[in-house]
Amino acid sequence: MNNNNKHSSHSHHNHGDMDHSKHEHVSTEEHGDHKDQHYDHHAHHDHSGHGGHEHHHHGNFKELFLKSLPLGIIIMLLSPMAGFDLPFQFTFPYSDIVVAILSTILIIYGGRPFYQGAVDEFKQKEPGMMALVSLGLSVSYLYSIYTVIASYVTGEQIMDFFFEFASLLLIMLLGHWIEMKAIGQAGDAQEELAKLVPKDAHVVLEDDSIETRPVADLKVGDLIRVQAGENVPADGTIERGESRLNEALLTGESKAVKKGPGDEVIGGSTNGEGVLYIKVRETGDQSFISQVQNLISQAQSQPSRAENIAQKVAGWLFYIAVTAALIAFVVWMLIADIPTAVKFAITTLVIACPHALGLAIPLVTARSTSLGASRGLLVKDRQALEIAQDADVMILDKTGTLTTGEFKVLDVKLLNDKYTKEEIIALLAGIEGGSSHPIAQSIISFANQQDISPVSFDSIDVISGAGVEGKAKGHSYQLISQKAYGRNLDIDIPKGATLSILVENDDAIGAVALGDELKPTSKELIKALKKNNIQPIMATGDNEKAALGVSEDLEIEYKANQSPQDKYELVKALKDEGKKVIMVGDGVNDAPSLALADVGIAVCAGTQVALDSADVILTQSDPGDIESFIELAHKTTRKMKQNLFWGAGYNFIAIPLAAGILAPIDITLSPALGAILMSLSTVIVAINAILLRLDPKK
Ligand code: AMP
């Protein structure tokens, strides 16, 4: 894979080494536009910034539809279709003028988003749905207006298309509203990222007094103080103080990392128990968080490879309609006269824009997102489903994604039959009473959960870097690392776990293994992926040992010590190989790759930054739900294709008829037949969408 990536050997502490030269630094303020990114559901881009199309949000379709509805209904009531009078329709003198005026208002108000969309499509030289709808609207509107004028000027009564015009506009607005409702709103990853860093820093001045200053005013070399529990405001090096820093969300390392003078800290990480004095090393663009921000915006500016089948079908229909209309026009001009040629050409164009197409995809999307929601999936970008159904690779983060991300007791072993397990746990919890190590907290709460009360110790001392020792009931005990114990004990513990040995008067009497636990559904997910021919790869910011343990348990390929940039490069390399990549993660360090991957799936319990960068959110934080996602992706795409067939398929019959191919033998598409076919395909499309089901959950 990415073995020759020069970053892959870097430990996650070397964040300063992320390659600056490769990308430009863009300040946060310039990214306000990304807010609109996921409204862009009708163009062929799944992430906004893509190709600079941030402005696809052409209006609030709910409001547009509801306000257009009464106008549209009046137009439809007052525009009997020639030869096909619906019982509720009526006319009165000059009602055609009323209809013409109302239609003009309607096309200006309700038609605008479609025309704006069509302009965008033409700019990209890829006419699609918006172009097709605009064509249908324009032709039916303009021709109908012409018929009204003609009836007053020449007295000639020509069939108009006001009914088709109004119903087409309403159905298209409705379809877009349904789809807009189904798709979640995008958050702003950049903004959330910025929130991780406190606004103010406490700067230590030369006379040792403290001045609170906005982080933006920090300079390299400033000395800042960070109290216990605070977030670190900037990247720097510890001058004084010791503490454990939680970097799990930033780097993916599962354990809080102990740091002291000389060690580097990252802005945005959380300080544990000690007060730290930190010399600022990087500010602004050079900081870890800024680099992650840069990677995210870089990812968002990559063109998406989302293939949007609806868009494609609409594009074909657009060309077919225009070609068929031209042919009809030329042929009818040769064999008949210009008015006849115009009539057939116009009818062809109007018929080519099928109403059912407006609902074919939105109804499936609506059904599919609600099914997804019932399975713990929030699909923010419907294209995620289309892409995921033929994904090749899934990159999975470890900490918090495949594992719970909590450092917990995995196993307690008896090494001596003098004691019961309860007694060992009571001793463990007792001796840990004198330690503030994360291991201590985990063991104490483990004992607590099982209602085991700790043995009370007379004295406890911390052996730095090795463990704790203490005296109870005349015995001396130690709880120390295997290394400190010095003898090799053959103990079978979960791979990657941290082991501590309980020693009584020099004899090992018990052992406790701690680690990050696999989520219960992780194994099954990996199996399911393999069965679906999706290659799983674990990419973690955690160390080699922790990564190896989990990878052996899951039988999955892995990459350890991955910085956000490494993960990003990994996704990029795979994409460059032509593979479709799904990325699953929860942390800030996963955000750039979530944004870059063809489909990004974020774990809900993770950071807001990850959620904002993803296309799909696992609302239950359960990796097992990814299985449902893959199934949903397959079934949704199949439904969409079926619906496009039924929605557009009617055109294959209707277009030639409308073009007058059978006119010589007296068969043309009467408006009545046209309307019936059209309603029929709309009904089929709706029923088919509702029939989308998922297999019952195992
Ligand atoms: P540290 O460098 O503080 O993370 O400790 C190194 C190793 O010593 C750990 O991996 C544990 O095996 C052991 N250790 C340190 N402190 C404790 C403690 N309070 N309880 C049990 N084991 C400990």
Side-chain angles (χ1 to χ4, degrees):
M1 232 103 289
N2 208 11
N3 284 334
N4 49 4
N5 175 358
K6 60 178 166 159
H7 299 287
S8 53
S9 60
H10 287 174
S11 97
H12 47 275
H13 296 292
N14 292 341
H15 304 288
D17 288 342
M18 290 201 308
D19 194 338
H20 306 167
S21 58
K22 277 196 191 157
H23 44 89
E24 305 138 40
H25 297 291
V26 197
S27 76
T28 333
E29 294 83 64
E30 288 172 35
H31 294 283
D33 280 341
H34 290 294
K35 271 190 193 119
D36 279 352
Q37 53 182 304
H38 287 278
Y39 290 118
D40 176 19
H41 50 264
H42 42 68
H44 24 100
H45 305 276
D46 60 350
H47 294 122
S48 93
H50 289 173
H53 295 275
E54 294 94 42
H55 301 292
H56 274 280
H57 176 204
H58 291 308
N60 177 343
F61 285 101
K62 177 184 181 184
E63 195 186 319
L64 282 169
F65 173 73
L66 292 179
K67 288 196 177 155
S68 301
L69 188 61
L71 276 181
I73 289 177
I74 296 172
I75 295 170
M76 283 151 71
L77 289 179
L78 297 181
S79 325
M81 291 185 281
F84 187 62
D85 287 321
L86 294 169
F88 48 79
Q89 291 176 317
F90 63 99
T91 53
F92 50 83
Y94 301 113
S95 66
D96 49 354
I97 302 238
V98 174
V99 167
I101 292 169
L102 291 181
S103 296
T104 307
I105 298 172
L106 193 59
I107 198 167
I108 292 172
Y109 175 70
R112 209 173 60 207
F114 301 106
Y115 287 106
Q116 284 171 338
V119 168
D120 288 347
E121 288 177 357
F122 282 118
K123 273 190 198 151
Q124 290 177 35
K125 301 193 178 68
E126 266 179 64
M129 191 62 94
M130 294 288 143
L132 185 64
V133 175
S134 302
L135 180 71
L137 291 177
S138 311
V139 170
S140 53
Y141 168 78
L142 290 174
Y143 186 73
S144 302
I145 294 287
Y146 160 76
T147 64
V148 174
I149 295 169
S151 73
Y152 286 95
V153 176
T154 65
E156 189 192 359
Q157 292 300 323
I158 317 170
M159 186 184 80
D160 68 53
F161 290 112
F162 282 122
F163 189 96
E164 283 79 3
F165 161 75
S167 56
L168 178 64
L169 187 60
L170 289 182
I171 285 210
M172 290 297 161
L173 287 175
L174 177 65
H176 278 81
W177 174 26
I178 293 174
E179 184 151 324
M180 202 171 83
K181 244 176 72 175
I183 300 300
Q185 289 196 355
D188 187 339
Q190 306 285 347
E191 201 178 83
E192 290 301 329
L193 206 45
K195 278 190 202 158
L196 286 177
V197 183
K199 288 215 161 39
D200 296 315
H202 311 296
V203 180
V204 185
L205 301 178
E206 280 190 3
D207 60 356
D208 267 354
S209 63
I210 301 280
E211 185 190 273
T212 302
R213 229 187 260 166
V215 168
D217 295 346
L218 281 181
K219 277 184 277 309
V220 173
D222 279 348
L223 186 66
I224 51 175
R225 188 186 73 190
V226 182
Q227 309 273 56
E230 283 182 343
N231 275 14
V232 178
D235 296 0
T237 312
I238 299 178
E239 287 258 312
R240 273 181 282 149
E242 267 193 12
S243 182
R244 284 181 190 278
L245 284 125
N246 186 344
E247 297 178 347
L249 294 173
L250 298 174
T251 64
E253 185 160 32
S254 47
K255 254 192 295 184
V257 198
K258 187 158 84 181
K259 292 192 175 181
D263 288 332
E264 289 176 357
V265 294
I266 311 169
S269 58
T270 310
N271 182 15
E273 71 275 344
V275 180
L276 291 175
Y277 289 85
I278 296 166
K279 183 150 258 165
V280 176
R281 186 168 41 85
E282 304 282 11
T283 58
D285 281 354
Q286 307 299 311
S287 70
F288 176 80
I289 292 274
S290 286
Q291 298 207 19
V292 174
Q293 281 177 328
N294 288 334
L295 284 174
I296 293 175
S297 46
Q298 232 183 72
Q300 286 171 335
S301 66
Q302 301 287 315
S304 156
R305 294 184 303 178
E307 66 164 324
N308 185 331
I309 40 170
Q311 189 70 8
K312 257 196 212 158
V313 168
W316 290 334
L317 279 181
F318 179 85
Y319 288 119
I320 292 173
V322 173
T323 316
L326 277 177
I327 295 174
F329 183 82
V330 172
V331 172
W332 282 105
M333 205 174 64
L334 294 177
I335 57 178
D337 50 12
I338 288 192
T340 314
V342 169
K343 195 189 88 189
F344 278 115
I346 296 289
T347 314
T348 308
L349 288 175
V350 173
I351 292 296
C353 187
H355 291 44
L357 210 56
L359 293 175
I361 299 297
L363 289 175
V364 177
T365 308
R367 173 75 189 155
S368 154
T369 44
S370 77
L371 271 180
S374 71
R375 291 295 176 84
L377 300 164
L378 179 67
V379 180
K380 288 203 298 179
D381 185 347
R382 80 148 201 248
Q383 308 221 11
L385 292 160
E386 266 184 65
I387 306 169
Q389 56 100 31
D390 60 353
D392 303 296
V393 188
M394 187 180 288
I395 300 177
L396 298 126
D397 167 57
K398 178 179 76 78
T399 315
T401 300
L402 289 170
T403 67
T404 58
E406 290 157 32
F407 194 62
K408 285 207 299 201
V409 173
L410 301 178
D411 203 3
V412 173
K413 292 268 192 245
L414 295 178
L415 299 178
N416 181 319
D417 44 21
K418 258 185 6 203
Y419 294 95
T420 65
K421 201 160 188 170
E422 279 70 31
E423 286 167 333
I424 294 289
I425 296 171
L427 280 168
L428 290 171
I431 198 166
E432 291 290 23
S435 164
S436 62
H437 200 278
I439 293 182
Q441 285 152 22
S442 305
I443 291 181
I444 291 167
S445 58
F446 177 73
N448 232 334
Q449 275 162 21
Q450 310 194 24
D451 283 328
I452 297 175
S453 40
V455 170
S456 83
F457 272 69
D458 306 327
S459 69
I460 303 174
D461 289 304
V462 172
I463 320 169
S464 183
V468 277
E469 61 184 350
K471 289 203 162 60
K473 297 177 196 151
H475 294 288
S476 65
Y477 294 94
Q478 289 180 314
L479 181 61
I480 48 175
S481 66
Q482 177 143 12
K483 198 169 131 210
Y485 180 63
R487 268 159 280 176
N488 202 19
L489 296 163
D490 192 20
I491 304 173
D492 180 31
I493 55 158
K495 299 190 185 74
T498 300
L499 185 69
S500 296
I501 317 283
L502 181 62
V503 184
E504 184 191 62
N505 306 332
D506 245 14
D507 288 328
I509 56 169
V512 56
L514 293 105
D516 194 9
E517 201 177 20
L518 277 184
K519 288 188 184 174
T521 48
S522 293
K523 262 193 182 141
E524 210 190 299
L525 168 67
I526 302 300
K527 275 196 206 125
L529 289 178
K530 289 179 179 165
K531 212 175 75 197
N532 275 294
N533 279 328
I534 300 175
Q535 179 197 7
I537 303 174
M538 182 174 85
T540 176
D542 214 342
N543 60 56
E544 182 70 29
K545 189 177 154 222
L548 180 68
V550 173
S551 88
E552 284 185 355
D553 265 357
L554 290 176
E555 297 174 18
I556 174 178
E557 219 180 288
Y558 76 97
K559 292 187 164 291
N561 293 324
Q562 298 274 296
S563 73
Q565 172 110 26
D566 293 336
K567 289 192 181 192
Y568 182 92
E569 299 288 350
L570 176 62
V571 172
K572 192 161 180 302
L574 288 165
K575 281 181 78 171
D576 288 347
E577 280 174 36
K579 295 199 166 132
K580 281 211 179 135
V581 184
I582 304 180
M583 167 80 202
V584 193
D586 69 325
V588 167
N589 58 334
D590 301 314
S593 27
L594 284 171
L596 180 66
D598 292 303
V599 177
I601 304 181
V603 176
C604 193
T607 53
Q608 190 61 39
V609 184
L611 300 185
D612 288 342
S613 307
D615 307 305
V616 181
I617 292 169
L618 301 177
T619 56
Q620 314 286 328
S621 302
D622 178 1
D625 291 337
I626 296 174
E627 272 185 79
S628 301
F629 174 70
I630 303 287
E631 186 194 348
L632 191 64
H634 279 117
K635 293 195 166 163
T636 302
T637 311
R638 197 181 322 143
K639 278 283 172 210
M640 284 181 173
K641 286 183 178 158
Q642 286 168 357
N643 265 9
L644 286 173
F645 175 80
W646 288 112
Y650 125 99
N651 279 36
F652 291 111
I653 307 170
I655 291 182
L657 285 185
I661 212 166
L662 295 181
I665 55 164
D666 247 7
I667 301 178
T668 51
L669 187 70
S670 73
L673 184 62
I676 289 169
L677 280 179
M678 209 136 81
S679 321
L680 200 66
S681 68
T682 308
V683 170
I684 291 177
V685 156
I687 293 175
N688 192 38
I690 294 166
L691 291 179
L692 177 59
R693 295 270 146 83
L694 286 176
D695 294 339
K697 209 171 173 177
K698 277 161 259 160

